[in-house]
Amino acid sequence: MINIRNKKLVKYSRLIFLWLLIPIILFLFWLFSTIFLTSNYSFTVIVNGYNKSVFETSELKPLYKGDKAIAEFRAMENNLGIVAVRFHTFKRINSDSVIFRIKEKNQNIWYYENKYLTNQFQWDELFTFGFPVINNSKDKIYNIEIESVSGSSGDAVAISKYPPVLVAQYQYPREKLTSNFFELLNFISIKIYYSFSDLNVFISSMVYLLPLIFYLIIIKYFKGLFQPPNYYLVYIFFLSLLIYIFLMNQNNGFIELLLFGAWFFLNIIYKFESRITFFIALIFMLTVILNLVLGFSDIADRASIWVYYFLIAGAIFVIFDLKRKKTKTIDLKEFIFKFLNKK
Amino acid sequence: MKYINKSFVIKLILFLFFLFVSNFFLLKPGLWLYQDAAGWSKNLVEAYHAINEHLVIFGPGYSNYYLSYDKGILVFLGLVHPIYSFLLIFLFGAESSQTIFIISGYVLAFFSFYLFSGIFFKDNNIRYFLSLIYTFNPLSFSTQGAVYLLAGIPLYMYSFYKCVNDKKSISLKWLLLNIVSAYLMISYVRFALINFVILIVYLYFLLRDISFQKFKRLIVLFLIYLLVFLPFAISIFFHLTEKSETAVFYTQLFSNLLPRFEMYQAFNLLQSFNLKLYSSNLWILIGLAFFAYFLYLSVQIQKKHYSVFVVLNMFLLLLGISLFSFGRIFPAELHHHVINLFPFISNGSEWALFITLIPFILLLGYISQFNKIHVYLFSLIFVTVSIIPLLNTQDFQLKKYSLHNIPRAYDEYFIEPYIGISKPTYYIPDMCWRARYMDEADTPTQCINKGIKYSTIALSNPRVLSGDDYYFSIFLQKKADIDNLRITHNLKNIIIPDDLVPAKGPGPLINSKEVAEVKQINNILKNNENLNLKSNVNFNHYFYKDMNNYDFLLYSPGSFSFIDEYTNLLTNAVSIDRVPVFASPDLKSRTAALQQAGIKYKFDPLNPTVYYIMVDITNLDDDIFLQLNQTFSENWRLKLIDKNIYESNKCKTKYTFYKITNNSSCDISLNIYGINILKNLLERSVIDADQFKGNILGNLWLIKSSDLKKYHNENKLYLVLVYEKQLYYTISLIISISTVLFIILMITIQEIFIKTKKHDKY
């Protein structure tokens, strides 16, 4: 009697562990990764991006001495403290300086003004202009001006073409959030709202959901944990990867690391031979070429990063193959047939 | 004769065809003065200076910097290039020699790789095609004419392999070739480091199963290396113990700059370095297509054929790709650490591409086991396609310019052979500029001035100068109030172009704003009453009216001018009549009782590391200061010598007397770079003179009156100023050269012995 009870207990414990505990952990991983890892900004910062239409200046037009890039935007929240602008440096170190100014629309005097050396600007990266936090900024319209001090031909920066070209950052006081639970909940909901309104964050979040999806598929369909009868996981992996490459417009190191790790995981459970990884690198290489021909250089650039990752992975798998020369592995032909679901 | 068959003839014709076509632009008359290729010596004197620079550890360097500097690890690197170019200029003249130099580099690279590939592949046809790729590819075209540098690794590895694996004992012939190739490998500081990275991998591969017998050979080889490369070892030893910044300073300076390329550029096999011949989208696509083709061929390798060889080459290839695209893939914070490990990528991660060349070709060779025809096809198409841009002789970068067409003034000042003491000169904006005639001829900027006649007092090149010397040179750029530089740099001449035009293509980055600034400075200098002007159609040559009356190279100061920051140096012009020296205010308390002594000194203009000095003391109760306007270093030793030693070094020229500074000097020739004074230095004690920094960058010694009383000889003091490291370096050079000569002698004896033995047999 006691034995039967114990067996039932073990069975329920196992079920709770497999179906509740681990999924909760993976769910929490998704939640925290989405909040903390999808963004380059601090937790207490809410970020809102704007596309090139906020600027009067056309993209990639070099700012020569006295030229101004003027933008106008509506602040979505209170506590505006930083405006970041994406600059194009023409792949060089420029010696010009720019004067950054900001004021509320229709005000006569500038709220803040400072000079910055352009040699700090990174090619097509956001450069942050900080200023004293404006507490009641919500729904107000602000003007910014970026003026070149000594820009000349061959020594000037421009506004980048890559969105978002302007990012407004709202810095919430940490003390306020920690002292009031409801304030914190309200802040998190706003943060999630703004985060998910960004396509990059949304896609990143989906990638962070991969471990949970992988896990659920594994325990749902497999009798043994590591005996996959089909290529569902591989399909999901490639789908995520393609979404990341084709739909996101910025790179996220954590996601790349996660996807890279996922490919390792798949190789271990499916016992792929290394040639498969090289073959995928080749396919991505062709994708790079095709996108360059079609003029999608951003996609080509992101796809080429995955050529690199697959080559690195392939080289590591060669070492595995050297060690398991006599072990049965899935070869390239078999992989292609199974992937295409052909017998 | 057994090699001459139809296949051999076809391969020879194909090689000569590629050699001719890829060097087609070089066959036009004139010099190729593109970027570093502009450094080609225009005459034998320049070529000789270039060799001499490797014999003195402290000297004016390649750009003839007036204050000279400690060249650290750079001194022994690159000895092959100047010796070989000197030989060619002697035989063929300046213009033809450059063409022969470059073409011979191609031939050497080809044969080196052909031999090297024999270690891994038996099929001669495959070796031939792989060698074609190694020799005729965009990376070899872009080493600015120094294609021979590519021969270093293959030649070294092959000769090393032969030395270790020969049946009987180490073959001296291969040993000599091994030494020569090792010289090649360290011929250029960036290549030396890149080669080192590659070498470790292939040495591991070759030595991983070595027997004890062969291990003993390795020890012998190591000992021979130690003797032959003792100067290099010594320069590294000093570099490390002194924590010298020479040659690594630029790494710190540029570590904040993170070059970023589009990631796909890392796979572009038609990527050149410096020569921007393949930068259009079409060429990028073709380059990527070649990589895709290579990947396709790689997928052909079956699991059962994987080996350590494949793994090592793959990882080396990926290392090169990773370093090239570091800024694109990894966080910027990591860059600082990586740049310390691989300093050659600072300020130009394209250098990492040179890591990829050998592993890529060897992998291609490995693939040939499974798909020979494809590898032949790949090689032929790749070489043919990559040569095409070189046929456009009208391309700006490939244009040559004849020395005969260089304007008269440039020729007279910067090209005509000059033997004598170089004249300290301030160049505005710099010693290399783009002149109008270069625009008219539509050629790349020619940096033809090596400062042999007019040496520069400022050198803003962080690859050679470091620390204060560099920052001070930067500070000196485009200044108009320069009279005090007579004291700190012995300044006598100012050269400022009238025909300066904004930069076009690579070279000094002067924009139109700076051109206007230079004109403004020229107008200020015209109003400087201390200066006379001698102008020509190309530039203005100002010189100080009293320049023949002062010599601030080595003098005894009569007064002090105290400044706490070097940025204050030029604010107030100080009269030179009181023979001042600029020093830190900390020295105020030490300068109460000083006398301005008369100085006579002798030195060898080719070796600024030894000065024989006679100090004429007027008053034994007052201290004497000695100022040497050469870069400050604690390696300078001020030592007492006997009167007869001073007098035994006979002057080649008459003493020239300088009224204002009350000193005179003459030229001497030091035998074997001053080694003869070593004995003397070991015997006599150092005079108890305190050393300080004087005139910002120079050396100032205080000889106390107590020492004057103790050591004077009829109110005269005989001294020698020596840059001590030079002596150790000279000894190491002698050991190195003797070892090489000994090996050559042994080879000759060995050859005679073998021939005699053969003759006896018959």
Side-chain angles (χ1 to χ4, degrees):
Chain A
M1 205 51 188
I2 294 167
N3 269 346
I4 294 166
R5 256 190 181 176
N6 277 349
K7 275 184 183 173
K8 276 190 175 176
L9 198 67
V10 169
K11 191 184 169 189
Y12 288 130
S13 305
R14 191 167 170 267
L15 282 175
I16 290 169
F17 181 75
L18 289 178
W19 285 99
L20 202 66
L21 201 61
I22 295 181
I24 287 173
I25 290 170
L26 292 175
F27 178 79
L28 289 175
F29 168 78
W30 167 73
L31 197 68
F32 281 98
S33 303
T34 303
I35 292 175
F36 292 104
L37 301 182
T38 49
S39 159
N40 297 323
Y41 305 99
S42 152
F43 174 69
T44 55
V45 171
I46 284 176
V47 176
N48 188 27
Y50 300 85
N51 63 24
K52 56 191 173 190
S53 63
V54 294
F55 271 101
E56 289 176 14
T57 324
S58 56
E59 61 190 28
L60 299 182
K61 182 183 173 289
L63 297 173
Y64 296 139
K65 187 179 178 179
D67 288 354
K68 290 174 183 172
I70 297 167
E72 185 175 292
F73 67 97
R74 179 187 294 274
M76 308 307 281
E77 289 296 327
N78 284 327
N79 302 308
L80 176 66
I82 287 173
V83 166
V85 177
R86 197 182 299 280
F87 285 100
H88 185 69
T89 60
F90 300 95
K91 297 186 191 178
R92 61 182 178 231
I93 305 295
N94 296 286
S95 64
D96 185 18
S97 300
V98 293
I99 300 168
F100 168 81
R101 301 184 184 99
I102 184 164
K103 66 171 185 176
E104 195 183 331
K105 192 178 180 181
N106 300 328
Q107 293 286 324
N108 292 328
I109 52 166
W110 293 101
Y111 171 72
Y112 181 80
E113 178 174 328
N114 207 347
K115 198 169 162 183
Y116 301 83
L117 280 168
T118 60
N119 62 10
Q120 307 169 68
F121 295 4
Q122 298 286 329
W123 169 39
D124 284 332
E125 293 283 345
L126 288 165
F127 183 81
T128 51
F129 297 103
F131 44 86
V133 174
I134 307 169
N135 294 324
N136 54 346
S137 54
K138 191 169 181 177
D139 291 332
K140 288 181 180 166
I141 296 172
Y142 288 92
N143 293 135
I144 64 163
E145 225 179 68
I146 295 160
E147 181 183 347
S148 163
V149 175
S150 58
S152 59
S153 175
D155 183 14
V157 295
I159 302 297
S160 171
K161 63 178 179 177
Y162 297 113
V165 288
L166 189 142
V167 171
Q169 296 177 31
Y170 309 94
Q171 175 72 55
Y172 273 69
R174 192 177 290 270
E175 305 79 41
K176 205 175 163 186
L177 298 177
T178 48
S179 61
N180 188 332
F181 180 69
F182 291 104
E183 190 78 35
L184 181 65
L185 275 185
N186 182 41
F187 172 77
I188 290 175
S189 62
I190 296 172
K191 174 109 183 162
I192 290 173
Y193 169 75
Y194 278 108
S195 298
F196 276 89
S197 61
D198 181 344
L199 179 69
N200 292 322
V201 175
F202 181 75
I203 296 168
S204 308
S205 172
M206 291 301 104
V207 175
Y208 291 129
L209 205 54
L210 274 186
L212 182 60
I213 298 171
F214 270 32
Y215 179 77
L216 292 176
I217 291 174
I218 287 169
I219 58 170
K220 167 82 179 158
Y221 290 101
F222 300 165
K223 285 178 184 170
L225 270 181
F226 299 108
Q227 291 169 355
N230 50 47
Y231 275 20
Y232 289 150
L233 298 181
V234 180
Y235 296 144
I236 293 169
F237 169 78
F238 281 113
L239 188 67
S240 312
L241 188 54
L242 292 177
I243 289 173
Y244 174 73
I245 291 171
F246 284 94
L247 297 183
M248 269 186 76
N249 55 17
Q250 69 181 44
N251 289 73
N252 184 318
F254 290 108
I255 293 183
E256 285 166 6
L257 204 64
L258 193 73
L259 288 170
F260 189 65
W263 183 243
F264 261 80
F265 174 73
L266 292 175
N267 269 271
I268 290 166
I269 62 168
Y270 287 98
K271 290 196 176 67
F272 290 150
E273 68 166 11
S274 53
R275 278 206 305 160
I276 294 169
T277 307
F278 289 126
F279 176 73
I280 295 161
L282 171 62
I283 299 295
F284 273 81
M285 194 71 238
L286 297 173
T287 314
V288 171
I289 295 170
L290 185 69
N291 278 287
L292 278 178
V293 171
L294 297 174
F296 302 130
S297 56
D298 295 355
I299 295 173
D301 193 31
R302 275 199 298 284
S304 56
I305 283 204
W306 282 96
V307 175
Y308 173 75
Y309 285 144
F310 281 118
L311 286 178
I312 293 274
I316 295 169
F317 296 149
V318 168
I319 301 175
F320 291 177
D321 282 348
L322 272 176
K323 299 269 177 196
R324 57 184 187 191
K325 265 191 175 173
K326 288 175 185 170
T327 316
K328 170 86 179 92
T329 50
I330 294 179
D331 67 16
L332 181 59
K333 203 172 166 185
E334 192 181 347
F335 171 79
I336 294 170
F337 272 81
K338 279 196 173 179
F339 189 83
L340 299 174
N341 218 2
K342 288 183 179 174
K343 288 184 181 175
Chain B
M1 291 300 281
K2 63 178 179 178
Y3 294 109
I4 301 178
N5 53 31
K6 198 176 160 189
S7 159
F8 175 80
V9 173
I10 292 170
K11 282 196 276 190
L12 183 68
I13 291 171
L14 200 59
F15 171 72
L16 290 175
F17 171 75
F18 285 131
L19 188 66
F20 171 76
V21 172
S22 58
N23 292 288
F24 185 59
F25 71 98
L26 282 175
L27 302 175
K28 292 178 88 178
L31 272 178
W32 187 38
L33 296 163
Y34 185 75
Q35 286 200 345
D36 285 4
W40 188 255
S41 299
K42 270 77 65 189
N43 53 58
L44 275 179
V45 175
E46 278 187 14
Y48 175 70
H49 270 272
I51 296 176
N52 186 60
E53 272 313 305
H54 294 279
L55 304 179
V56 282
I57 202 157
F58 180 91
Y62 200 60
S63 305
N64 235 22
Y65 174 52
Y66 183 72
L67 294 188
S68 297
Y69 59 94
D70 190 324
K71 283 170 270 185
I73 54 169
L74 291 178
V75 66
F76 194 65
L77 300 172
L79 192 57
V80 174
H81 184 131
I83 293 175
Y84 184 45
S85 54
F86 179 87
L87 199 70
L88 290 180
I89 293 167
F90 176 73
L91 292 172
F92 304 105
E95 293 190 357
S96 308
S97 60
Q98 191 191 37
T99 311
I100 294 168
F101 180 86
I102 295 173
I103 291 180
S104 60
Y106 281 95
V107 176
L108 184 67
F110 178 86
F111 283 104
S112 301
F113 197 85
Y114 186 80
L115 292 172
F116 168 65
S117 57
I119 300 174
F120 310 102
F121 310 113
K122 297 286 166 262
D123 187 327
N124 290 342
N125 288 337
I126 284 295
R127 290 170 61 194
Y128 172 81
F129 281 101
L130 298 182
S131 307
L132 283 184
I133 296 185
Y134 188 70
T135 315
F136 305 108
N137 72 78
L139 278 182
S140 71
F141 302 145
S142 53
T143 46
Q144 301 160 352
V147 194
Y148 71 96
L149 290 169
L150 291 181
I153 285 268
L155 204 56
Y156 177 85
M157 287 306 303
Y158 182 71
S159 51
F160 179 84
Y161 179 77
K162 295 295 277 183
C163 283
V164 175
N165 286 311
D166 255 13
K167 279 176 188 167
K168 289 177 185 170
S169 59
I170 295 176
S171 160
L172 291 173
K173 272 189 297 188
W174 291 120
L175 177 62
L176 190 63
L177 190 64
N178 190 244
I179 289 166
V180 172
S181 58
Y183 270 107
L184 270 180
M185 280 206 305
I186 57 167
S187 280
Y188 191 100
V189 66
R190 297 216 204 208
F191 268 105
L193 292 160
I194 292 167
N195 290 344
F196 184 69
V197 171
I198 301 172
L199 202 64
I200 288 174
V201 174
Y202 294 118
L203 280 180
Y204 165 75
F205 180 74
L206 289 184
L207 302 176
R208 68 192 198 286
D209 299 319
I210 196 164
S211 65
F212 179 69
Q213 194 61 30
K214 286 175 182 173
F215 184 71
K216 282 197 286 189
R217 284 193 198 184
L218 285 183
I219 294 170
V220 174
L221 270 177
F222 175 75
L223 291 174
I224 293 169
Y225 287 158
L226 200 64
L227 290 175
V228 174
F229 293 97
L230 197 57
F232 187 49
I234 279 198
S235 59
I236 287 181
F237 173 76
F238 283 124
H239 183 85
L240 296 174
T241 53
E242 292 177 359
K243 294 180 181 162
S244 165
E245 289 180 322
T246 312
V248 292
F249 178 65
Y250 72 95
T251 304
Q252 300 161 28
L253 210 63
F254 295 135
S255 64
N256 288 327
L257 307 181
L258 184 56
R260 274 184 49 181
F261 299 93
E262 290 91 354
M263 187 62 206
Y264 50 80
Q265 291 282 16
F267 308 108
N268 175 8
L269 289 184
L270 286 182
Q271 187 152 201
S272 60
F273 179 43
N274 288 318
L275 268 182
K276 306 291 179 199
L277 291 169
Y278 308 85
S279 48
S280 75
N281 284 341
L282 177 68
W283 285 109
I284 292 172
L285 282 172
I286 297 172
L288 292 175
F290 274 119
F291 193 84
Y293 191 7
F294 168 71
L295 270 180
Y296 164 73
L297 295 177
S298 304
V299 174
Q300 314 288 314
I301 309 177
Q302 300 279 346
K303 185 177 108 181
K304 60 184 175 192
H305 293 122
Y306 286 145
S307 62
V308 176
F309 177 77
V310 175
V311 174
L312 290 180
N313 282 300
M314 270 184 187
F315 276 97
L316 205 49
L317 179 70
L318 287 168
L319 175 70
I321 291 174
S322 306
L323 291 176
F324 170 75
S325 46
F326 203 85
R328 184 68 186 83
I329 333 168
F330 299 104
E333 296 77 39
L334 267 180
H335 182 244
H336 301 291
H337 302 289
V338 168
I339 215 166
N340 284 326
L341 274 174
F342 304 98
F344 51 83
I345 58 166
S346 54
N347 190 32
S349 56
E350 299 101 319
W351 285 94
L353 291 172
F354 289 101
I355 295 181
T356 62
L357 195 55
I358 293 180
F360 161 69
I361 297 174
L362 289 184
L363 280 173
L364 203 63
Y366 194 79
I367 291 165
S368 68
Q369 291 178 59
F370 325 105
N371 216 331
K372 203 178 275 185
I373 299 299
H374 269 290
V375 173
Y376 289 159
L377 262 178
F378 182 96
S379 311
L380 275 180
I381 299 170
F382 182 77
V383 171
T384 309
V385 168
S386 56
I387 279 178
I388 289 171
L390 294 173
L391 287 169
N392 176 14
T393 52
Q394 290 311 304
D395 184 281
F396 182 68
Q397 303 157 93
L398 301 180
K399 279 188 177 171
K400 295 179 77 180
Y401 197 77
S402 175
L403 286 179
H404 304 296
N405 297 332
I406 283 175
R408 178 77 199 104
Y410 284 96
D411 189 52
E412 184 193 334
Y413 275 70
F414 307 135
I415 296 179
E416 275 179 6
Y418 173 77
I419 300 168
I421 301 170
S422 56
K423 303 164 184 181
T425 306
Y426 181 50
Y427 289 96
I428 305 170
D430 205 342
M431 64 191 296
C432 173
W433 64 81
R434 184 164 181 83
R436 194 172 298 117
Y437 82 88
M438 300 172 199
D439 261 5
E440 285 160 5
D442 194 32
T443 65
T445 302
Q446 304 163 9
C447 290
I448 49 176
N449 179 15
K450 286 193 175 174
I452 303 290
K453 192 172 181 181
Y454 294 95
S455 59
T456 179
I457 61 156
L459 184 61
S460 52
N461 183 352
R463 288 174 185 82
V464 288
L465 277 196
S466 53
D468 286 347
D469 304 72
Y470 169 75
Y471 291 122
F472 194 64
S473 286
I474 294 287
F475 165 72
L476 287 184
Q477 281 179 347
K478 298 198 283 286
K479 293 281 188 291
D481 306 321
I482 49 172
D483 288 346
N484 284 350
L485 297 180
R486 284 177 296 175
I487 301 157
T488 56
H489 291 74
N490 199 21
L491 178 64
K492 303 205 172 186
N493 305 278
I494 299 114
I495 291 178
I496 179 164
D498 243 358
D499 58 355
L500 179 69
V501 288
K504 184 181 175 188
L509 298 171
I510 306 257
N511 56 34
S512 45
K513 193 175 83 183
E514 285 172 290
V515 173
E517 272 174 25
V518 169
K519 277 188 182 157
Q520 212 175 342
I521 295 170
N522 190 27
N523 290 334
I524 297 171
L525 292 181
K526 272 181 188 163
N527 297 321
N528 187 328
E529 289 174 355
N530 293 324
L531 294 171
N532 274 342
L533 172 63
K534 188 176 151 192
S535 48
N536 54 58
V537 289
N538 299 103
F539 47 79
N540 296 307
H541 173 196
Y542 295 92
F543 53 91
Y544 281 96
K545 288 173 185 169
D546 52 2
M547 70 172 185
N548 293 326
N549 292 329
Y550 64 82
D551 170 33
F552 282 98
L553 173 62
L554 180 57
Y555 68 103
S556 167
S559 66
F560 273 77
S561 184
F562 297 105
I563 52 166
D564 41 11
E565 290 286 337
Y566 68 67
T567 45
N568 299 329
L569 177 73
L570 305 180
T571 44
N572 293 311
V574 175
S575 164
I576 61 169
D577 294 334
R578 293 184 60 211
V579 200
V581 62
F582 290 96
S584 157
D586 302 343
L587 263 180
K588 269 184 187 168
S589 57
R590 312 286 296 267
T591 58
L594 80 122
Q595 59 176 311
Q596 205 251 322
I599 300 277
K600 270 187 171 182
Y601 67 95
K602 306 170 180 182
F603 76 111
D604 184 342
L606 286 173
N607 180 2
T609 63
V610 180
Y611 297 86
Y612 290 101
I613 307 164
M614 188 194 81
V615 182
D616 203 351
I617 310 163
T618 48
N619 175 3
L620 287 171
D621 294 325
D622 288 339
D623 300 339
I624 287 176
F625 281 90
L626 268 186
Q627 169 68 25
L628 173 70
N629 276 341
Q630 295 279 272
T631 302
F632 177 86
S633 169
E634 287 173 0
N635 287 307
W636 285 107
R637 296 278 178 271
L638 184 62
K639 299 207 170 199
L640 283 165
I641 49 169
D642 291 332
K643 181 184 177 184
N644 55 359
I645 292 178
Y646 177 82
E647 286 174 352
S648 64
N649 283 287
K650 300 288 178 203
C651 289
K652 283 195 307 182
T653 57
K654 281 184 181 172
Y655 273 108
T656 312
F657 178 65
Y658 302 95
K659 198 169 66 184
I660 296 173
T661 43
N662 188 24
N663 56 351
S664 42
S665 66
C666 74
D667 297 358
I668 52 170
S669 280
L670 290 169
N671 59 340
I672 334 178
Y673 286 82
I675 197 73
N676 52 337
I677 62 166
L678 182 67
K679 184 171 160 283
N680 182 264
L681 287 177
L682 294 172
E683 281 174 359
R684 297 293 297 265
S685 65
V686 186
I687 193 166
D688 189 19
D690 292 333
Q691 189 188 1
F692 313 96
K693 265 197 172 182
N695 285 338
I696 316 293
L697 300 175
N699 302 269
L700 180 67
W701 285 274
L702 163 62
I703 307 170
K704 294 185 201 91
S705 60
S706 53
D707 282 331
L708 296 178
K709 285 170 191 160
K710 197 169 159 189
Y711 297 119
H712 80 97
N713 179 351
E714 294 168 354
N715 277 7
K716 289 187 170 50
L717 203 60
Y718 296 94
L719 303 161
V720 65
L721 252 177
V722 183
Y723 197 76
E724 198 174 29
K725 268 162 74 175
Q726 178 62 38
L727 296 169
Y728 306 126
Y729 183 69
T730 307
I731 294 166
S732 67
L733 271 177
I734 292 167
I735 294 171
S736 170
I737 294 165
S738 310
T739 311
V740 173
L741 290 176
F742 179 73
I743 292 169
I744 294 171
L745 181 73
M746 291 306 289
I747 291 171
T748 318
I749 293 169
Q750 198 180 43
E751 288 298 308
I752 292 169
F753 180 74
I754 291 166
K755 276 185 183 165
T756 320
K757 214 174 168 185
K758 268 186 186 171
H759 188 257
D760 288 350
K761 262 189 179 178
Y762 295 106

